[in-house]
Amino acid sequence: MIKWTLSDSTGFGGLTGSVGATDSGFFAFYPDDDQQHISRAVANDRTLSSWTKTGQAIAAPPIAVALGEHFRDLRPIQRPNSDEWYVGVGCGSTNGAQLAWYKADDDTLATFTPAGADDGCNAIFTETATYGMLDENVCWTNSSQPTDMMECPDFFPLGDKYVLLASFFTSNQWFVGSMNDDFSKFTPDRVGAIDFGNYYAAKSGSEEKQDGTTRRVLFAFDGWSQPTATSGCERYHLYPRELTLDGDRVSFAPVKETELMRSGEA
């Protein structure tokens, strides 16, 4: 997991947290050290350089508490063309790897109600086996593995579909599908590998507006194992990629700014 700290003056950091922007402000979410609660902080201004912690916002469901350290990694999302806001949290359970789902009472993202259709982690989606895996050389192979924890989920509209990105320790996957009418269940139509090599913790960024039409850029780092890295080196950030939909398949391409870097214009 990625350790991030906004600044020494904020006095807080967290594991794979995310920031959501609404009309009421900017809100950061991150798991507590015991990974049994999701806490919240509010940006004091739009520079995002100073934050106020507001305490715990979401408690892990009993099934995740029983397994321990299986409730973390999250992403706020606005339901397109509505004023409804949700938070999806990576959750592990005896049912499998799940995306726990909570609806915010309003756009201050301060209090939430469980809103998932599946049991266990109040989930909108459950996966029990990976789409392939990375072998000892950190290369993708067509060999599925059981999974009981969804790391670094990112859920968002893209085009006229919904996309879920998720990491399962030995694989990084995308799912393309649809949500039901009451926005409580995700049904994928297709699944694939985000990358066939050393790639992990994929999270995307966009403009504040979330309706599937805005640009979507993917960020990640090069995974837990680095067979080609110099001894003692930390993990590396990877070039960002542009996400688009080709029917029910996610397509990836280097961001256009990369061309400017190569030409010396950036």
Side-chain angles (χ1 to χ4, degrees), residues 12-230:
F12 80 94
L15 296 171
T16 52
S18 293
V19 173
T22 78
D23 290 341
S24 293
F26 290 82
F27 307 96
F29 295 91
Y30 55 98
D32 288 356
D33 289 340
D34 63 3
Q35 297 181 31
Q36 302 299 293
H37 295 86
I38 300 300
S39 286
R40 171 181 176 270
V42 181
N44 295 326
D45 56 47
R46 294 185 66 89
T47 67
L48 309 186
S49 60
S50 175
W51 296 74
T52 299
K53 293 186 288 185
T54 60
Q56 296 173 346
I58 303 172
I63 196 168
V65 172
L67 292 178
E69 296 192 359
H70 276 65
F71 193 68
R72 60 179 183 270
D73 310 347
L74 61 153
R75 167 69 78 180
I77 174 179
Q78 182 180 15
R79 185 175 183 175
N81 304 311
S82 81
D83 58 0
E84 297 178 5
W85 279 86
Y86 296 79
V87 164
V89 186
C91 190
S93 77
T94 53
N95 296 323
Q98 299 189 296
L99 181 60
W101 199 238
Y102 299 87
K103 184 179 180 180
D105 291 345
D106 55 46
D107 74 353
T108 64
L109 308 186
T111 54
F112 297 84
T113 301
D118 289 351
D119 60 359
C121 290
N122 313 309
I124 59 169
F125 177 65
T126 302
E127 183 61 273
T128 58
T130 65
Y131 176 75
M133 64 169 290
L134 298 180
D135 63 15
E136 64 274 10
N137 297 314
V138 200
C139 293
W140 188 88
T141 62
N142 188 18
S143 177
S144 298
Q145 300 291 311
T147 183
D148 65 357
M149 177 61 195
M150 182 181 295
E151 284 207 309
C152 305
D154 189 9
F155 187 75
F156 51 88
L158 190 62
D160 60 352
K161 300 280 189 177
Y162 287 90
V163 174
L164 169 63
L165 308 179
S167 298
F168 298 101
F169 297 103
T170 62
S171 67
N172 290 267
Q173 301 172 201
W174 55 260
F175 303 84
V176 174
S178 58
M179 290 289 285
N180 63 352
D181 291 340
D182 63 0
F183 219 59
S184 65
K185 187 175 180 61
F186 172 64
T187 302
D189 302 317
R190 194 162 189 169
V191 59
I194 296 176
D195 194 276
F196 296 91
N198 206 8
Y199 197 85
Y200 204 71
K203 284 286 187 76
S204 67
S206 183
E207 299 175 27
E208 294 180 28
K209 181 181 178 182
Q210 297 187 58
D211 65 1
T213 65
T214 52
R215 184 187 189 193
R216 204 90 203 180
V217 176
L218 185 69
F219 302 87
F221 70 96
D222 64 346
W224 300 117
S225 300
Q226 301 163 82
T228 60
T230 302

